[in-house]
Amino acid sequence: MPEDSDIYHHLRAANCCRICCLRFLNGRTDDFINVEAALLKRKISTSDTNLSEELNQPSKKLKENCCVACLGLFEPDIMQSIVDQVKASSDFKEYDCQGFSSSIYLPIVLHLRQLSLWLSLLEQFPNHYQKDSPAPDVSVKDAFRMILNRRLEQSLEREFSVEGVTVNVFFNYANEERDLKVLENVKPEVFSHRKTNKHTRKEFITRNAFEKHFTPESINLNRYKQHIPVPPEVSDECLVLDKISFRGPTLFLAGRYNKISRELSQTPWVIEGKRKMENSVQEIIAEVIAPFYRVPCDSLIFSSSGREDVDVRCLGEGRPFVLEIPNAFKDYLDEETAVVMETSIGKTEQVAVKDLQLVPREELVYIKHGEEEKRKFYRALCVLEQPVTEQVLKSLNIEEPFQIEQWTPLRVLHRRPLLPRPRTIHSVKAMACAQNDLLVVIDVVTQAGTYIKELVHGDFGRSTPSFRSIIGQPIDIHALDVMAIDLDWPKRLRR
């Protein structure tokens, strides 16, 4: 078995920088922060160059050759330039975020150079490396990100956080297409069906395609070496820092809403380009929340635990909902601001919200998980053609669960497939209305997804049994309210 030093000196002889040598020695995060210590820990001599000067001091002149693996990516000048540009950027300062993350965009040609180095290690150390094993290195992107994140933490005095503003760093390589074109000679079948569009520039090969078709076990080594040097040759061009951009985090703001109006859709109601309702629950909430995060109202994505019809109110503790906020300019929601938001929405007298809070992405499963098994609680004001009798009330007081079958209602058949849907009715309770003997108040607990209006009037026999069939006379809904949603999420905050 070879020592780390044998692998290290082989890679150095191929003109790999020390950081890339450490990548092929499976360095860990702290190793890339202090490369000299990591190499010494592996009993590798660092006497070939002054490493501390190489890693920490800006180059006084350009090197004649750049690393064959990273094409100069780890040059100190590049890293320092990124840190300086981010710190000085007025765009970055626009984001009021407590943390940051980074995303690195590198040319695909680095995959090709990694492959050639991998093949050279297989040839040089056949008893140590297997061609069908995973790549024997830490990826150049991961290593670069480890170092950059630490430098940015120190310079910006902010902590790394996936919920923070993302620093996007893009690199170019002038000879990429020329270098990748040679792959056609190695595996022409990969490119034989490739379609080109003269009006759209398309990359020669995608990253996914390269990783799928160009691995040590999937190529003909002799053919590969006829066209591509193993190990890779020193390039006459290095990577160039192209641009740096920023993107705010995607936040998830959850809460509960009550819909008080009977003339309000849950989301914008537009048919064939024409609005059917002037406003919606989603828009009323978004108009208050979007300005705080400095995003357009129509960029917010609204989700909820079910929905109610335009003419149905949602009362009680409210319906859980979540707003996805992309590219937010803030990554927090303080309690005082949340209260102001809730008050402002309530002033519309159409919608009220409470428990506004930021939640992690992984909690979004709660809003849709077990959707069919959730229970919903409704109160319906129903009207009969004849006065309510004791027998009607007795028939409509049902304590034991029972099953119904509902075919897709006529009123939604234009947008949903014609299917039978079995549903469970958990309980029914009916009460006479003292003000009008033709009215009856019915509380019903149902499985989520039950069409309540059709449960009442039967939808011309498409819902069976229905309240109409149970009492043996016509009955219809005058008004309907959602009273409760069987979902204890998000957590309760302000009472």
Side-chain angles (χ1 to χ4, degrees):
M1 298 293 286
E3 297 292 335
D4 285 350
S5 59
D6 297 329
I7 298 173
Y8 172 80
H9 290 300
H10 172 75
L11 293 170
R12 287 294 281 170
N15 208 56
C16 276
C17 70
R18 291 173 180 249
I19 293 178
C20 283
C21 290
L22 188 56
R23 291 197 300 111
F24 279 90
L25 294 173
N26 285 303
R28 299 183 177 181
T29 302
D30 290 341
D31 293 336
F32 294 106
I33 305 305
N34 190 337
V35 178
E36 183 172 14
L39 293 175
L40 291 174
K41 183 173 62 177
R42 290 168 168 80
K43 299 180 180 180
I44 297 173
S45 171
T46 62
S47 60
D48 51 336
T49 60
N50 187 331
L51 183 63
S52 60
E53 184 175 300
E54 177 184 326
L55 293 177
N56 299 316
Q57 300 298 324
S59 300
K60 294 182 179 179
K61 62 178 182 178
L62 293 174
K63 292 186 177 182
E64 293 182 3
N65 299 322
C66 57
C67 170
V68 296
C70 70
L71 294 173
L73 179 66
F74 293 107
E75 287 292 321
D77 287 347
I78 289 181
M79 191 73 67
Q80 191 60 46
S81 175
I82 295 171
V83 172
D84 290 343
Q85 288 186 48
V86 172
K87 189 173 183 179
S89 171
S90 57
D91 290 339
F92 180 75
K93 293 174 182 176
E94 289 289 315
Y95 291 92
D96 181 12
C97 295
Q98 299 169 1
F100 76 92
S101 64
S102 62
S103 187
I104 315 301
Y105 299 85
L106 299 173
I108 299 174
V109 72
L110 292 184
H111 286 274
L112 176 59
R113 290 182 163 266
Q114 172 186 284
L115 177 59
S116 286
L117 280 169
W118 188 357
L119 293 172
S120 75
L121 291 173
L122 286 168
E123 283 190 325
Q124 189 71 20
F125 308 104
N127 295 324
H128 187 74
Y129 295 107
Q130 303 297 322
K131 68 178 183 179
D132 58 348
S133 63
D137 69 324
V138 176
S139 76
V140 63
K141 179 183 291 188
D142 288 344
F144 185 81
R145 191 161 43 210
M146 292 174 193
I147 301 171
L148 178 63
N149 288 343
R150 184 66 63 88
R151 298 280 182 87
L152 287 173
E153 280 185 326
Q154 295 169 349
S155 178
L156 302 175
E157 297 182 343
R158 300 190 192 190
E159 291 186 357
F160 173 83
S161 169
V162 293
E163 303 297 335
V165 56
T166 301
V167 179
N168 301 297
V169 184
F170 298 83
F171 288 91
N172 278 338
Y173 177 60
N175 297 330
E176 174 158 64
E177 187 165 350
R178 180 201 68 184
D179 290 1
L180 292 177
K181 271 282 188 180
V182 186
L183 293 172
E184 281 187 310
N185 300 320
V186 179
K187 294 186 76 171
E189 65 274 16
V190 174
F191 306 93
S192 59
H193 301 294
R194 184 173 180 271
K195 296 180 180 180
T196 58
N197 187 333
K198 64 180 180 180
H199 301 294
T200 304
R201 177 176 173 80
K202 187 175 182 180
E203 55 193 351
F204 178 72
I205 186 172
T206 65
R207 200 175 307 275
N208 287 339
F210 186 96
E211 293 174 350
K212 177 181 179 181
H213 296 291
F214 294 94
T215 60
E217 70 272 21
S218 67
I219 62 172
N220 182 306
L221 180 58
N222 290 330
R223 176 182 287 181
Y224 184 95
K225 293 177 69 175
Q226 288 175 4
H227 302 284
I228 302 172
V230 175
E233 294 179 338
V234 174
S235 173
D236 55 356
E237 293 283 347
C238 295
L239 293 186
V240 175
L241 178 60
D242 179 26
K243 64 179 179 179
I244 300 174
S245 65
F246 308 97
R247 181 170 179 82
T250 296
L251 303 180
F252 300 93
L253 189 148
R256 294 177 175 83
Y257 77 79
N258 293 115
K259 185 166 85 73
I260 303 163
S261 170
R262 295 194 187 277
E263 297 180 348
L264 188 69
S265 59
Q266 187 192 66
T267 55
W269 188 5
V270 181
I271 299 178
E272 296 181 353
K274 295 183 179 179
R275 289 190 68 108
K276 294 296 182 179
M277 303 296 295
E278 182 177 342
N279 215 335
S280 66
V281 173
Q282 172 183 326
E283 290 167 301
I284 289 174
I285 296 175
E287 284 171 6
V288 171
I289 291 173
F292 178 75
Y293 291 102
R294 296 176 54 192
V295 298
C297 290
D298 58 5
S299 71
L300 274 58
I301 301 172
F302 182 90
S303 301
S304 65
S305 178
R307 61 189 301 140
E308 62 283 313
D309 289 340
V310 169
D311 58 349
V312 176
R313 296 186 302 179
C314 182
L315 307 178
E317 288 297 308
R319 188 182 297 277
F321 73 92
V322 64
L323 277 177
E324 180 178 338
I325 310 171
N327 195 20
F329 278 77
K330 299 179 181 180
D331 61 357
Y332 61 88
L333 177 64
D334 58 272
E335 183 174 5
E336 182 179 353
T337 301
V339 171
V340 171
M341 288 177 174
E342 293 171 358
T343 302
S344 180
I345 293 170
K347 288 179 180 178
T348 65
E349 298 184 350
Q350 292 183 297
V351 178
V353 298
K354 58 186 172 185
D355 300 329
L356 285 180
Q357 59 193 278
L358 293 179
V359 297
R361 182 187 294 268
E362 52 267 25
E363 285 194 16
L364 300 188
V365 296
Y366 295 125
I367 205 162
K368 295 299 182 184
H369 179 69
E371 183 67 34
E372 292 292 303
E373 287 72 40
K374 293 175 185 174
R375 295 187 304 166
K376 303 292 177 73
F377 299 76
Y378 297 91
R379 173 163 290 177
L381 179 61
C382 300
V383 58
L384 285 75
E385 293 184 352
Q386 301 174 10
V388 177
T389 64
E390 287 292 334
Q391 183 58 43
V392 167
L393 295 177
K394 183 178 179 180
S395 299
L396 289 178
N397 276 276
I398 307 171
E399 296 182 357
E400 296 298 322
F402 62 96
Q403 298 292 317
I404 66 169
E405 182 178 77
Q406 293 191 311
W407 284 83
T408 306
L410 294 174
R411 62 188 173 92
V412 300
L413 195 55
H414 64 284
R415 66 176 187 270
R416 295 189 179 175
L418 178 61
L419 294 172
R421 294 173 174 82
R423 292 290 184 261
T424 298
I425 310 303
H426 295 284
S427 65
V428 182
K429 182 179 180 181
M431 299 159 284
C433 184
Q435 292 80 10
N436 190 323
D437 61 4
L438 295 178
L439 297 179
V440 59
V441 176
I442 303 176
D443 288 340
V444 55
V445 182
T446 75
Q447 177 185 350
T450 303
Y451 292 104
I452 303 300
K453 294 175 181 178
E454 284 68 26
L455 169 64
V456 173
H457 58 63
D459 198 22
F460 302 100
R462 299 164 67 85
S463 287
T464 56
S466 64
F467 293 170
R468 176 186 177 121
S469 66
I470 289 173
I471 65 174
Q473 62 173 291
I475 182 174
D476 207 347
I477 281 188
H478 179 72
L480 179 64
D481 294 332
V482 179
M483 301 304 296
I485 309 294
D486 187 20
L487 177 60
D488 189 19
W489 180 90
K491 66 182 178 182
R492 315 283 172 160
L493 297 178
R494 296 163 290 275
R495 291 292 182 175

